[in-house]
Amino acid sequence: MDSNQFPLEKKKKKFKKAVLLLFPLLIIYYLSSIYFVKEIYYYNSSKSFMTYVVYASIILTALFMVIFTIRGFKCIKKNKTKSYVWYFIFIIIFIICELFVSINISKISNSLSKITNKEAGYSTSLVTLSSSKINKINDFDDENLIGMISDTNNVEGYKLPMEIVKSKKIDKKSIVSYDDFTSMLADLYNKKIDAMFVSSSYVSMFASLDGYENIGNDTKVIYEKNKKVIKKTSESNKTLNEPFTLLIMGVDSTSTSLKKSNSFNGDTLMLITFNPNTMNATILSIPRDTRVPIVCTRSKAKNKINTTGAYGADCVMDTITNFTGIKIDYWVKVNFKGVVSLVDALGGVDIDVPYSFCEQNSNRDFGNDTIYIEKGRQTLNGEQALAFARNRHPWPQYCGKKYSKYTSNDFIRGQNQQQIVKAMTNKLKDVRSLSQLYKLLDIAGDNLDTNIDKDTMITGFDTFKNIIFNSKNINSEDFVGTQRLYLSGYDNTINGIYYFEYSTESLKEVVDTMKINLEIKNPEMDKEFSFSINSPYEDTQIGKGTYKK
């Protein structure tokens, strides 16, 4: 018997074991590479330069793997144990790294897809007064009158109601047309009509209006219809890595559902311009009682700007563009209840509270749930931050004298909200872990709605990552420069209803500042600027001052 036979058999067995181990590893590697390519493509279907670089790297790595595999087989055949062991270790490490990146890209993509959901929710309710004998839709007869918005493009005010009218065989002669929701609501309360079609979010939409604070108890819903349609995305051709405008609309309700209904209360409106080249932002809070033409109504008559929320986000955007002349690229709706979770996920926000006050909690409860905040610089948690953003008048009946010695209004509330936005932006640079990032993205997915499409959102996310990365080397607390703007004007009462009439001079100053930040207007040098070391510097608010009516 040949003395070399047994060593040869051992070599063959080792070769077979190595090959049996190698092939599964190679299959896993190529499957993980396919998964990686798919996630990269899905993450950035716009195919940026960096995407092509990643694809080229994967192809080169795959070719390298083929060459390395051939060498690995040679090592196995020559029984060079150390060489092919290192080869196995290399493949395993590469697979782990590739899967780690792929899974994290998948998580980010899923979160961004949730925020940029292509479907918009619409919900219409048929509402009567609580005292009405009508309890269900079949109780209507030919003598009952039902209010409906006349705008045929309004989904919740006209299109869905007309589907209900048709399916429930309601006599069209019973329908009374209105140009706006507030007039229709007034007629319902005055019993000129027996019911009205309105967005299912009507309680949060109208509860802030004078005389309708108890609308939830004053009315009842006797029928509701829901529908989802493809949402209209922004027609702007701008990316988020160039100067852009953003309209933030706060949805202040006790509901945790943001995307059920397209309509909302338009009490919180902030127009923001952001320049990623200079890292500068401007923020303008638009008072809810500002009297402007409502462009989405048939008559385009002037009314309070907060009434635009009843017609949806596009109406709000078009109305603001009409009276400011600033083209709005994107809008974002923010559920105020979600602010609580976002602030808590950020570890709180640092705010210099100008006065001691108390406010309802996120569920609008007082009593044991009352939020008390002392004057001074401090870190506010989510509930406290929301209370600060909501507060616009004292509550002496709930809080006592200590927390009621201040003056506040819609303008001061707007300034407080600007502080919250600024503080949250500053806190983003403290995000240190992927788990915290995913938590923030998940909260945003549940509490934000936007017309930004997924590809644009991804470019913005990449810009955001670069900003956060660069901010690590900045010692300043404010890594984004912020100009807080102010719209001045005067009070006006028409037919017993309060309005805020804005100053055209103040608006011009505000708009000019926005245009400069957007790089569509050149700044003018202030030749009269003077400085004294004995006088402290004051950060003046553009647009704030005394102007002629």
Side-chain angles (χ1 to χ4, degrees):
M1 185 177 288
D2 189 352
S3 59
N4 295 324
Q5 185 176 357
F6 290 111
L8 186 62
E9 288 294 327
K10 286 182 179 180
K11 285 182 180 181
K12 286 181 179 180
K13 285 182 179 180
K14 280 186 177 181
F15 180 77
K16 286 181 180 179
K17 285 182 180 179
V19 169
L20 287 173
L21 180 61
L22 178 62
F23 271 114
L25 279 176
L26 286 174
I27 291 170
I28 294 171
Y29 160 71
Y30 285 111
L31 288 175
S32 69
S33 294
I34 292 169
Y35 176 50
F36 182 67
V37 171
K38 181 181 79 69
E39 290 304 324
I40 286 289
Y41 181 84
Y42 184 70
Y43 175 74
N44 195 355
S45 56
S46 60
K47 300 181 182 65
S48 65
F49 173 74
M50 282 308 298
T51 308
Y52 288 118
V53 170
V54 171
Y55 288 158
S57 301
I58 293 171
I59 293 169
L60 290 173
T61 305
L63 291 173
F64 173 74
M65 275 294 184
V66 172
I67 297 169
F68 202 42
T69 299
I70 295 170
R71 290 179 65 101
F73 275 121
K74 288 180 179 179
C75 291
I76 294 169
K77 214 166 187 179
K78 292 178 181 180
N79 200 27
K80 293 181 179 179
T81 307
K82 286 185 178 180
S83 297
Y84 68 70
V85 167
W86 279 111
Y87 172 71
F88 289 150
I89 292 172
F90 171 79
I91 293 180
I92 291 168
I93 291 173
F94 194 88
I95 290 170
I96 291 171
C97 292
E98 205 168 43
L99 287 173
F100 175 79
V101 174
S102 300
I103 290 169
N104 282 286
I105 289 175
S106 178
K107 285 183 177 180
I108 293 171
S109 291
N110 289 336
S111 296
L112 295 180
S113 295
K114 195 174 180 181
I115 297 172
T116 58
N117 181 21
K118 292 182 180 180
E119 288 187 327
Y122 291 90
S123 183
T124 294
S125 293
L126 182 57
V127 176
T128 66
L129 293 176
S130 298
S131 57
S132 173
K133 294 180 180 180
I134 300 172
N135 294 308
K136 54 183 184 296
I137 197 166
N138 293 331
D139 291 342
F140 283 98
D141 57 39
D142 294 340
E143 295 182 0
N144 295 129
L145 299 177
I146 304 174
M148 183 189 297
I149 286 296
S150 59
D151 180 11
T152 57
N153 294 318
N154 191 296
V155 178
E156 292 180 330
Y158 182 86
K159 290 183 177 181
L160 279 181
M162 285 305 294
E163 290 181 15
I164 296 172
V165 168
K166 186 177 180 180
S167 64
K168 297 299 178 180
K169 298 180 180 179
I170 297 174
D171 189 349
K172 290 185 179 180
K173 293 179 181 179
S174 301
I175 303 300
V176 181
S177 293
Y178 289 86
D179 284 343
D180 61 87
F181 284 100
T182 50
S183 298
M184 184 164 57
L185 183 61
D187 279 359
L188 178 69
Y189 267 64
N190 293 325
K191 298 183 180 181
K192 292 182 179 180
I193 56 176
D194 302 287
M196 63 183 281
F197 285 110
V198 68
S199 166
S200 297
S201 302
Y202 76 95
V203 173
S204 64
M205 285 164 50
F206 300 121
S208 61
L209 299 181
D210 294 336
Y212 302 112
E213 292 85 357
N214 297 314
I215 189 171
N217 296 322
D218 295 340
T219 61
K220 61 185 177 183
V221 175
I222 61 172
Y223 191 79
E224 184 175 290
K225 183 178 178 64
N226 302 308
K227 188 174 184 179
K228 287 189 176 182
V229 300
I230 299 300
K231 183 169 59 182
K232 180 183 175 183
T233 55
S234 173
E235 296 177 353
S236 174
N237 57 3
K238 283 189 177 182
T239 62
L240 299 184
N241 54 15
E242 59 183 313
F244 64 89
T245 52
L246 175 69
L247 175 63
I248 294 181
M249 299 172 281
V251 181
D252 192 4
S253 72
T254 57
S255 172
T256 56
S257 175
L258 179 64
K259 299 176 182 178
K260 178 184 176 182
S261 173
N262 187 54
S263 302
F264 60 100
N265 60 323
D267 286 359
T268 299
L269 302 172
M270 280 189 279
L271 183 57
I272 295 175
T273 68
F274 179 66
N275 189 328
N277 302 320
T278 61
M279 295 293 291
N280 190 68
T282 67
I283 307 178
L284 172 67
S285 294
I286 302 175
R288 66 175 192 157
D289 296 316
T290 305
R291 185 168 172 262
V292 295
I294 310 301
V295 298
C296 56
T297 60
R298 185 170 59 180
S299 65
K300 295 181 174 54
K302 286 187 175 183
N303 204 342
K304 295 184 179 185
I305 198 166
N306 67 338
T307 62
T308 55
Y311 304 92
D314 289 333
C315 179
V316 183
M317 185 170 68
D318 293 341
T319 297
I320 293 175
T321 295
N322 181 66
F323 95 88
T324 62
I326 293 288
K327 181 182 177 182
I328 300 172
D329 298 306
Y330 305 106
W331 58 256
V332 173
K333 278 197 293 185
V334 183
N335 184 6
F336 265 25
K337 289 203 73 171
V339 171
V340 176
S341 301
L342 280 170
V343 170
D344 286 338
L346 287 168
V349 289
D350 299 324
I351 297 290
D352 190 3
V353 181
Y355 48 79
S356 298
F357 70 96
C358 88
E359 187 57 72
Q360 301 161 314
N361 69 354
S362 57
N363 293 320
R364 293 195 177 279
D365 295 326
F366 276 113
N368 294 331
D369 298 309
T370 303
I371 307 298
Y372 294 90
I373 301 178
E374 302 285 347
K375 178 181 178 180
R377 188 165 185 80
Q378 58 200 285
T379 300
L380 303 182
N381 62 29
E383 284 284 353
Q384 292 171 325
L386 178 58
F388 185 61
R390 274 179 171 172
N391 181 261
R392 65 186 181 94
H393 58 74
W395 296 95
Q397 66 272 42
Y398 298 108
C399 310
K401 292 183 179 179
K402 180 181 178 181
Y403 295 95
S404 303
K405 294 179 180 179
Y406 65 92
T407 300
S408 188
N409 51 41
D410 195 42
F411 299 93
I412 294 175
R413 180 177 69 164
Q415 298 300 304
N416 293 346
Q417 290 170 352
Q418 289 184 18
Q419 277 203 69
I420 294 292
V421 171
K422 183 177 179 181
M424 290 177 69
T425 304
N426 287 331
K427 261 306 180 76
L428 287 174
K429 69 178 181 179
D430 295 331
V431 175
R432 290 287 186 268
S433 66
L434 283 172
S435 60
Q436 188 180 12
L437 175 62
Y438 293 145
K439 186 175 182 180
L440 289 170
L441 287 173
D442 285 341
I443 294 169
D446 291 332
N447 294 282
L448 297 183
D449 190 21
T450 182
N451 69 339
I452 305 175
D453 61 54
K454 183 173 175 292
D455 286 345
T456 304
M457 181 70 77
I458 286 169
T459 62
F461 184 72
D462 289 337
T463 301
F464 163 77
K465 287 188 298 183
N466 294 332
I467 290 172
I468 295 301
F469 178 78
N470 293 331
S471 72
K472 309 295 184 186
N473 303 317
I474 299 175
N475 293 324
S476 172
E477 178 184 304
D478 300 330
F479 73 96
V480 173
T482 305
Q483 289 177 288
R484 293 164 58 193
L485 310 179
Y486 191 96
L487 185 61
S488 297
Y490 59 93
D491 300 334
N492 190 17
T493 301
I494 302 175
N495 297 325
I497 300 173
Y498 169 79
Y499 295 95
F500 172 72
E501 304 283 357
Y502 66 88
S503 161
T504 54
E505 292 179 63
S506 174
L507 179 63
K508 184 180 184 304
E509 289 183 14
V510 165
V511 169
D512 285 346
T513 303
M514 289 182 176
K515 288 181 176 179
I516 291 170
N517 197 46
L518 293 170
E519 298 181 0
I520 57 178
K521 182 175 181 176
N522 294 324
E524 296 179 4
M525 297 298 294
D526 185 1
K527 296 180 181 180
E528 298 181 359
F529 176 79
S530 62
F531 171 75
S532 171
I533 195 169
N534 298 317
S535 301
Y537 172 73
E538 292 184 4
D539 183 16
T540 57
Q541 285 186 297
I542 295 169
K544 188 173 185 178
T546 303
Y547 302 90
K548 295 180 181 178
K549 290 186 179 181

